[in-house]
Amino acid sequence: GPLRVVRCGGSALRGARAVFSADSYLLCAAGDFVKVYSVSTEETLQLMGGHAELVTGIQLNPQNHMQLYSSSLDGSIKLWDFMDGIPIKTFTVGSKLLALYTLASVEDSVFVVIPKKGERDTFQLVSVKLPKGAGQDLEAKELSVVLDDVGASPKQIAFGREGGYVVSVKEVSLQVYFFKRKLLNRFSLRAVKTKGGDNQFSCVACHPTEDCIATGHADGKIRLWRNFHHRKEYTYSTLHWHHDIVMDLAFSMEGTRLLSGGVESVLVQWHNESSCQKDFLPRLGSPIEYISMSADGALCCTLHTDNRITIINSNLRFSRSIQGLIKSRDVKTGLVVDPRTKALVMNGEPGHLQFYCLQSDQQLFSLDIVQRQYIHEAGLKQSDLVKVAFSAQGTWLATVEEREEVTDPELELKLWFFEEETQSFKLNTRINTPHDNHITDMCFRDMDELEDDSLILVTTGRDCVFKVWAMVEDTDPEAQQSVSWSCDFVGSYHNYQATNCCFSEDGSLLAVSFEETVTLWDSVTWDLKCTFCHPPGNIRNICFGRLTCSKYLIGATDYGFLCCWNLLTCALEWSAHLNVVVLQPDPLSEHIAAVSWLSKESSLFVFKPNEPRPIYIQRNLCKEKILLAAFVPRDEPETTGPEKYLWLRRSQLFFLTDTQELMTLSTKPLEERLTPSSKQLAVEESLPVTPFSLLLGKHRHQHSEEDIDLGKLVVQNKHEQASPAVKELLHTPAHVLPSASFLCPIFINSLLISKENKSAEEVADEVEMESEKTEDDSDEERDVTEMEQEDTSHMELLGEITCKLSKSQEKELRKIRKMDYSWISAF
């Protein structure tokens, strides 16, 4: 089947409200996964994958606080043992699930928000009866509608004290449904007040011990509703501090405090429903999306629009922060890989560069490039980071910042050097106005950086020139550094705007595109070698082939052509009609990934420049437009997998969409990605060193060495390979294991020998024959036979292998047995 597209960062943490477990773990929905964080260490303890789409809701199982329900747009509800990261049951509902709620008073049902059939943008709150069955995958078909015409956001529904009623807000109406009385009360506010306020509801929360509803509004007001059992005699009071929309509300466990958050990045705590008594926790970094309280009321957590989780103490003191991939306004720098840390580098907070670790889904650090205070006000022209490039070893970093002027932009090129002592980048050279117009591209020459004179930087600009920057020794005796950068060469071509640049793999050629033309320059003499052109259309992307394909140059035009030129013959090798928006070569292989955008869907094409036919195509990769892509080298190459995924063995491909979600391609099917056995094994390997473990390790080491010395082909049986089914069986806690009838066929199948093991049986036959042949031999040979028989002991586990010898073979065997070996004793 096709590769799975997995969301792995970006706007993912905002899918659902976070949940605190009873023993202070923090559970968050992150894209297709559910993450378990340790509140004390900020570490990701579990990454639970199994949903095929965005996770939209997570709730603790009210009957067992060590279990968690999660809902997803894939139409399924999963029950997890979150301490072990194991799925216990999957309930398939069928339609998209947009929110999830549980009630302690209702044992075998959960509540979800689903789209109403046959109507667009209309949603219902339904109760789903979870069936009790032996299997792991069950269908939940019993749905009963609780409320019609509800909001799609999980913040727009809340359940009242002890689950007695449910409240839903949408636009300017509020509905309350009382379960026991089967009564629905509806209240409406006027759409626009005379004072210019906006009465649209944005969120709702219910008091845990009293009949009181708190609602947030688009104009920043909070209303507290009481006496809503009656349609006419209801009352509400108003609290107001926020100047813009109230994003979320949460009551403390005893209900004496109300927390509210919004776009001001300030958490407000209201005491006793009074406007006079309020506390603030300001400067939380970005707008607050969700607020969650722990069951004991000791901790509170806010999820932010830029993917930050902030954990706050009950006395409103900042405790700690977990930062994911920052969602910036616009990723102008592109996706760049830091060669030293293998981190993804791109725009972070305004004027900053974020280094994002893909393994832990956390920010490593943020580098302030612009070094100016950013003012959050629309329409202000402020300097921002637009381009970034690393040298091959990651010791030099080049950045370009510009003020957002259209006609006469303020430009600044900065070169940073990585200091080993401080483990951070230090500004080396600052160049004001490196070009007279916007800088369109820049790249370092990827060569051995031990020779400083080989390191050069090229920038291209709309001022119709490309400039070469080289390192020079600083002769100023008062200078703090020994080297600085200066312009070495300026090149142009017929007064066309320079748009892209890149160096060949060996650094000998520089390709610069000028509108419709690609020019090739010698990187030593800066002579123009040749030009390529493929009208109509300007060149959008260019890149050189690598390794065996280094004689090719690839270019994509904005008129929808992908061209490949041969550098030896200076002729067009092939061209394809494809609207390529992203062209990304793999630094470790010959493969190049091209992403096209056609009729509102992104498609992926992977090819080698020497073959015009793609080696892999995946259409409709995702509905969002893919803006950027990057190949990130793997720590260890993948050794298994189908032939058609060979191009993913050494590097992993990541995409960034226009909604700023980070996605990657997974070769593993959903089930394989669930097994936590790899994690379990990693734990076993890192067990503490005890005298017994040392002894055991020594013993194992000796055995492996003996095998190597003998040079024998030891036949590995199925048990030693330890199939995933057996591992899963042994590592899964007993209290969450499915029934034996379900596990038995999987276990038996895992023990069956596949046809590929024929060669193993043949080897076994040979081993047995050799052991028989040497029965009557001398002492020296007896020692050898003992070792050989040890090897055959591996085979006994495969069952008794009875080998039928042909008549000629039997004759040969008899001859060997009758032969006289007594002459050996003379030696």
Side-chain angles (χ1 to χ4, degrees):
L3 290 169
R4 286 197 62 240
V5 179
V6 182
R7 284 178 174 83
C8 54
S11 55
L13 284 176
R14 299 165 56 195
R17 201 179 260 123
V19 172
F20 282 97
S21 73
D23 39 10
S24 77
Y25 291 112
L26 183 65
L27 305 148
C28 288
D32 303 0
F33 300 97
V34 178
K35 287 190 165 184
V36 183
Y37 291 104
S38 162
V39 171
S40 51
T41 64
E42 303 173 26
E43 278 180 287
T44 307
L45 301 177
Q46 293 285 358
L47 182 65
M48 303 190 293
H51 286 294
E53 265 283 355
L54 205 69
V55 175
T56 54
I58 51 171
Q59 295 286 346
L60 291 177
N61 181 357
Q63 270 64 49
N64 181 347
H65 286 296
M66 303 306 283
Q67 294 177 353
L68 176 87
Y69 285 111
S70 68
S71 66
S72 165
L73 293 179
D74 66 5
S76 69
I77 297 168
K78 284 184 183 288
L79 179 63
W80 304 86
D81 178 326
F82 62 82
M83 291 308 297
D84 294 309
I86 295 167
I88 302 168
K89 285 196 186 304
T90 301
F91 305 96
T92 308
V93 181
S95 55
K96 282 187 175 183
L97 310 178
L98 291 110
L100 173 75
Y101 309 92
T102 54
L103 280 183
S105 54
V106 184
E107 266 195 41
D108 52 355
S109 293
V110 295
F111 297 87
V112 291
V113 174
I114 60 168
K116 193 171 182 178
K117 281 182 183 150
E119 293 184 44
R120 283 191 66 192
D121 299 330
T122 312
F123 304 96
Q124 298 173 307
L125 176 71
V126 297
S127 167
V128 180
K129 188 168 172 58
L130 301 177
K132 288 181 177 171
Q136 200 170 0
D137 293 318
L138 303 167
E139 274 195 42
K141 290 182 176 174
E142 273 190 63
L143 306 182
S144 53
V145 179
V146 178
L147 276 176
D148 248 334
D149 195 28
V150 299
S153 165
K155 296 187 269 195
Q156 293 178 322
I157 291 174
F159 285 82
R161 67 180 176 109
E162 294 163 11
Y165 53 90
V166 60
V167 187
S168 159
V169 294
K170 187 183 176 187
E171 291 164 359
V172 288
S173 67
L174 178 141
Q175 319 179 60
V176 187
Y177 178 75
F178 299 91
F179 288 108
K180 280 183 182 167
R181 292 158 60 193
K182 292 195 167 51
L183 172 73
L184 177 67
N185 282 352
R186 196 185 287 265
F187 310 100
S188 286
L189 294 168
R190 265 180 269 153
V192 180
K193 281 186 115 179
T194 46
K195 291 176 184 172
D198 186 348
N199 283 335
Q200 293 258 358
F201 286 98
S202 59
C203 54
V204 63
C206 291
H207 197 290
T209 56
E210 298 172 16
D211 288 337
C212 170
I213 299 167
T215 58
H217 297 265
D219 58 0
K221 287 193 179 73
I222 298 167
R223 287 186 171 86
L224 295 164
W225 303 71
R226 291 184 180 277
N227 215 19
F228 44 82
H229 300 272
H230 310 284
R231 290 196 178 172
K232 296 275 169 66
E233 288 98 61
Y234 71 91
T235 61
Y236 65 75
S237 56
T238 307
L239 308 173
H240 196 182
W241 178 86
H242 298 276
H243 81 272
D244 209 325
I245 184 167
V246 179
M247 302 276 261
D248 202 12
L249 293 166
F251 276 100
S252 62
M253 287 306 112
E254 63 284 354
T256 54
R257 295 173 294 130
L258 173 67
L259 296 170
S260 66
V263 294
E264 305 87 1
S265 317
V266 178
L267 185 67
V268 186
Q269 182 172 268
W270 308 84
H271 296 275
N272 305 319
E273 299 162 26
S274 157
S275 286
C276 309
Q277 295 177 294
K278 52 183 179 286
D279 299 318
F280 305 98
L281 180 61
R283 292 185 287 280
L284 290 176
S286 61
I288 295 168
E289 187 78 30
Y290 291 104
I291 304 170
S292 311
M293 294 291 290
S294 64
D296 57 1
L299 291 171
C300 142
C301 146
T302 55
L303 295 192
H304 298 258
T305 51
D306 71 349
N307 253 2
R308 183 186 284 124
I309 305 169
T310 308
I311 296 161
I312 295 152
N313 294 332
S314 57
N315 58 0
L316 219 62
R317 289 283 158 89
F318 173 86
S319 172
R320 54 192 69 241
S321 169
I322 301 166
Q323 176 69 69
L325 182 73
I326 293 181
K327 199 172 178 195
S328 63
R329 290 178 309 148
D330 192 5
V331 183
K332 297 171 185 172
T333 59
L335 281 187
V336 186
V337 180
D338 175 15
R340 289 177 47 267
T341 58
K342 305 284 188 296
L344 273 188
V345 180
M346 67 193 103
N347 292 89
E349 294 173 48
H352 288 66
L353 205 54
Q354 65 170 321
F355 288 72
Y356 168 74
C357 177
L358 293 157
Q359 286 74 30
S360 63
D361 183 27
Q362 286 190 23
Q363 185 182 316
L364 291 180
F365 63 95
S366 177
L367 184 64
D368 188 358
I369 301 292
V370 175
Q371 296 175 347
R372 279 181 215 152
Q373 183 66 40
Y374 187 84
I375 301 158
H376 292 267
E377 192 177 316
L380 263 185
K381 305 286 184 203
Q382 298 180 73
S383 288
D384 203 7
L385 192 57
V386 290
K387 291 278 178 280
V388 62
F390 284 93
S391 61
Q393 307 296 323
T395 50
W396 285 95
L397 164 69
T399 60
V400 175
E401 60 200 63
E402 64 178 45
R403 192 184 284 270
E404 301 154 356
E405 302 287 345
V406 182
T407 50
D408 186 22
E410 265 183 46
L411 293 172
E412 201 161 27
L413 171 65
K414 288 179 179 173
L415 286 124
W416 308 72
F417 179 71
F418 186 79
E419 275 192 338
E420 291 293 336
E421 301 86 55
T422 55
Q423 287 290 299
S424 66
F425 285 96
K426 186 183 176 187
L427 183 60
N428 173 279
T429 307
R430 178 188 308 219
I431 301 158
N432 287 317
T433 322
H435 285 258
D436 295 333
N437 207 332
H438 293 277
I439 290 178
T440 51
D441 200 4
M442 69 174 174
C443 64
F444 277 97
R445 179 162 66 179
D446 279 351
M447 285 175 75
D448 187 6
E449 290 180 24
L450 297 173
E451 308 166 30
D452 278 347
D453 56 344
S454 73
L455 191 64
I456 53 176
L457 174 73
V458 173
T459 56
T460 59
R462 288 196 196 151
D463 56 353
C464 307
V465 297
F466 72 89
K467 290 188 179 181
V468 179
W469 307 86
M471 269 197 283
V472 290
E473 281 192 25
D474 212 325
T475 51
D476 183 0
E478 292 182 12
Q480 290 181 350
Q481 59 231 17
S482 57
V483 290
S484 60
W485 291 73
S486 68
C487 185
D488 189 48
F489 177 76
V490 179
S492 64
Y493 182 77
H494 290 297
N495 216 28
Y496 292 138
Q497 286 190 358
T499 50
N500 295 281
C501 63
C502 72
F503 278 99
S504 59
E505 191 177 17
D506 62 354
S508 61
L509 285 175
L510 168 70
V512 182
S513 63
F514 289 90
E515 296 181 18
E516 292 189 2
T517 314
V518 180
T519 59
L520 286 173
W521 304 74
D522 186 313
S523 71
V524 179
T525 60
W526 300 117
D527 292 335
L528 178 61
K529 289 294 181 188
C530 70
T531 59
F532 297 124
C533 194
H534 192 283
N538 292 337
I539 301 290
R540 191 184 273 166
N541 296 311
I542 51 170
C543 71
F544 280 93
R546 290 181 174 270
L547 305 173
T548 58
C549 300
S550 55
K551 64 178 181 181
Y552 297 104
L553 177 69
I554 311 293
T557 71
D558 55 11
Y559 264 68
F561 280 98
L562 182 67
C563 318
C564 175
W565 292 283
N566 189 323
L567 300 173
L568 301 180
T569 61
C570 293
L572 184 70
E573 190 85 2
W574 54 264
S575 72
H577 197 50
L578 197 65
N579 181 31
V580 175
V581 286
V582 176
L583 190 68
Q584 190 64 38
D586 178 7
L588 300 179
S589 71
E590 297 97 342
H591 301 109
I592 295 174
V595 178
S596 72
W597 174 249
L598 199 64
S599 60
K600 297 203 172 169
E601 66 176 44
S602 293
S603 302
L604 171 69
F605 299 85
V606 180
F607 63 94
K608 284 185 179 181
N610 57 358
E611 298 169 22
R613 193 183 296 274
I615 57 168
Y616 182 78
I617 299 174
Q618 185 158 337
R619 297 188 188 278
N620 194 10
L621 196 63
C622 64
K623 286 284 182 278
E624 298 100 342
K625 186 176 182 179
I626 290 171
L627 300 180
L628 302 162
F631 275 103
V632 180
R634 294 184 189 274
D635 294 333
E636 287 180 16
E638 287 198 341
T639 49
T640 55
E643 197 72 18
K644 62 178 177 178
Y645 302 146
L646 265 174
W647 59 278
L648 275 174
R649 291 264 168 101
R650 302 191 66 187
S651 301
Q652 196 172 355
L653 185 59
F654 289 86
F655 310 106
L656 196 74
T657 65
D658 53 359
T659 56
Q660 287 200 22
E661 292 208 25
L662 188 66
M663 297 183 174
T664 188
L665 294 171
S666 174
T667 53
K668 293 178 184 173
L670 209 55
E671 292 72 31
E672 256 183 73
R673 292 174 57 240
L674 295 184
T675 58
S677 43
S678 56
K679 233 176 216 179
Q680 194 82 29
L681 291 172
V683 170
E684 285 171 10
E685 281 167 21
S686 59
L687 285 173
V689 180
T690 60
F692 181 67
S693 71
L694 281 171
L695 189 68
L696 193 64
K698 206 172 182 181
H699 180 67
R700 282 179 184 160
H701 187 63
Q702 276 177 350
H703 264 273
S704 62
E705 277 188 355
E706 279 173 21
D707 290 347
I708 293 160
D709 292 345
L710 276 167
K712 287 273 190 293
L713 178 68
V714 178
V715 182
Q716 290 281 334
N717 63 47
K718 237 0 187 178
H719 294 276
E720 288 195 344
Q721 286 168 5
S723 67
V726 178
K727 277 185 196 164
E728 205 57 37
L729 197 65
L730 297 173
H731 289 139
T732 307
H735 66 282
V736 295
L737 272 176
S739 63
S741 60
F742 176 78
L743 288 171
C744 193
I746 302 171
F747 180 64
I748 297 298
N749 283 332
S750 75
L751 297 178
L752 293 177
I753 301 154
S754 64
K755 288 181 181 175
E756 292 143 26
N757 280 26
K758 250 188 178 166
S759 57
E761 291 178 19
E762 285 162 21
V763 174
D765 291 357
E766 285 170 29
V767 173
E768 284 199 8
M769 279 170 66
E770 281 190 5
S771 61
E772 283 173 18
K773 171 187 105 179
T774 50
E775 268 175 8
D776 309 312
D777 295 352
S778 64
D779 293 345
E780 283 182 54
E781 289 178 344
R782 233 176 237 131
D783 294 346
V784 179
T785 21
E786 275 173 31
M787 286 181 182
E788 286 175 357
Q789 281 167 346
E790 270 179 33
D791 287 348
T792 63
S793 68
H794 291 289
M795 296 312 304
E796 288 164 13
L797 293 163
L798 289 173
E800 291 178 358
I801 298 166
T802 56
C803 51
K804 279 269 186 187
L805 296 177
S806 64
K807 286 190 177 178
S808 60
Q809 283 175 323
E810 281 182 322
K811 274 183 187 175
E812 278 292 314
L813 200 56
R814 282 196 202 102
K815 274 185 197 173
I816 292 164
R817 280 182 178 164
K818 284 174 186 172
M819 279 179 86
D820 183 22
Y821 291 100
S822 58
W823 54 274
I824 294 173
S825 59
F827 296 97

